[in-house]
């Protein structure tokens, strides 16, 4: 069984993925794969966005020569067209990494922890999408505590993920929404009920 765990920023995707791991699923964090893809595509990223970053006084590369993802995000997430350009660069590399992961784990129960999996061809291979959600004020507080980002950057990312549930619905994937607003034990119970409903086990 291939499960996609998705949802907006700071909703609880990692927590749900860890619950599934306890149930025997093997997990891949597509956001981390995205970080790897950004490093692999750093030359093209600098070529594409370097001038814009310079105009805005933003350093794209750190002392280690790697992309400063937070700085890159600061110039991208306020403009959908810039986000699209970035996706065209890195998404083929992410898809390749996911394909390799699925190939290695063929026949096992797999969870793909990913915000934007609906944009990749692999969404057609997913058996179930678990959409994790939380009220925006709660997600905002979690993001501030977890990431230490500026409020404006968090809100830019929230806006970039607007209507995320509808975008997954448009893929015709089997999708179930779960609200992460209570205890971890309660969330684990709801995940178990979702798997049972999907015929797992």
């Amino acid at each position: 069984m291939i499960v996609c765990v998705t949802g907006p920023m700071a909703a609880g995707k990692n927590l749900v993925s860890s619950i599934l791991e306890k149930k025997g699923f093997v997990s891949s964090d597509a956001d981390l794969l995205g970080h790897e893809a950004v490093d692999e595509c750093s030359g093209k990223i600098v070529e594409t966005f370097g001038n814009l970053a310079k105009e805005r006084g933003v350093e794209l590369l750190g002392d280690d020569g790697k992309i400063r993802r937070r700085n890159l995000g600061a110039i991208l997430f306020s403009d959908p067209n810039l986000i699209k350009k970035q996706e065209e660069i890195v998404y083929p590399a992410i898809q390749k990494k996911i394909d390799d992961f699925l190939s290695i784990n063929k026949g096992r129960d797999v969870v793909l922890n990913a915000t934007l999996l609906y944009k990749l061809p692999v969404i057609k291979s997913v058996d179930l999408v678990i959409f994790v959600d939380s009220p925006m004020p709660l997600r905002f507080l979690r993001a501030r505590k977890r990431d230490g980002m500026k409020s404006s950057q968090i809100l830019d990312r929230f806006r970039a993920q607007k209507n995320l549930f509808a975008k997954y619905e448009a893929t015709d994937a089997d999708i179930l929404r779960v609200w992460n607003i209570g205890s971890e034990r309660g969330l684990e119970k709801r995940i178990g009920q979702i798997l049972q409903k999907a015929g797992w086990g």
Side-chain angles (χ1 to χ4, degrees):
M1 185 179 195
I2 301 176
V3 175
C4 168
V5 173
T6 191
M9 181 182 183
K13 295 183 295 296
N14 291 344
L15 178 56
V16 171
S17 293
S18 69
I19 290 171
L20 289 171
E21 287 175 1
K22 291 177 186 176
K23 295 181 180 296
F25 283 73
V26 58
S27 175
S28 175
D29 189 331
D31 289 338
L32 293 181
L33 296 183
H35 295 169
E36 294 174 9
V38 166
D39 289 338
E40 291 175 6
C41 301
S42 60
K44 182 66 175 177
I45 291 170
V46 171
E47 179 185 330
T48 304
F49 302 110
N51 288 339
L52 179 61
K54 198 170 185 179
E55 289 173 9
R56 299 186 182 182
V58 175
E59 291 288 340
L60 281 184
L61 294 177
D63 295 336
D64 57 1
K66 292 184 177 182
I67 294 289
R68 291 180 172 175
R69 290 186 296 273
R70 187 166 294 183
N71 288 3
L72 178 63
I75 65 173
L76 296 186
F77 278 98
S78 60
D79 188 333
N81 292 322
L82 295 178
I83 293 174
K84 185 177 179 181
K85 284 185 180 180
Q86 164 76 349
E87 291 173 349
E88 290 171 351
I89 295 170
V90 301
Y91 274 23
I94 297 172
Q95 177 67 53
K96 174 65 167 58
K97 289 178 180 296
I98 292 175
D99 287 342
D100 290 345
F101 173 77
L102 292 176
S103 178
I104 291 169
N105 293 286
K106 189 174 182 179
R108 302 182 67 183
D109 291 321
V110 167
V111 55
L112 302 174
N113 179 351
T115 304
L116 302 176
L117 203 73
Y118 73 92
K119 294 187 176 185
L120 296 175
V122 71
I123 189 64
K124 296 176 182 177
S125 302
V126 169
D127 299 302
L128 174 66
V129 175
I130 297 177
F131 191 96
V132 191
D133 212 344
S134 291
M136 190 175 77
L138 181 56
R139 292 193 293 110
F140 182 84
L141 292 174
R142 287 175 183 162
R144 281 292 299 269
K145 183 178 180 180
R146 181 188 69 188
D147 300 326
M149 295 170 63
K150 294 180 180 178
S151 297
S152 59
Q153 288 180 294
I154 294 172
L155 293 175
D156 280 343
R157 295 199 178 198
F158 281 9
R159 281 189 288 269
Q161 295 174 355
K162 189 177 179 181
N163 299 323
L164 186 61
F165 186 77
K167 289 170 182 174
Y168 272 95
E169 282 188 310
T171 68
D172 291 326
D174 186 5
I175 179 169
L176 292 171
R177 195 174 203 158
V178 60
W179 287 90
N180 177 24
I181 54 177
S183 67
E184 183 174 340
R185 180 177 292 182
L187 180 61
E188 188 167 354
K189 182 178 180 181
R190 289 193 294 278
I191 295 301
Q193 291 169 342
I194 284 173
L195 292 177
Q196 187 177 26
K197 185 176 181 180
W200 176 80

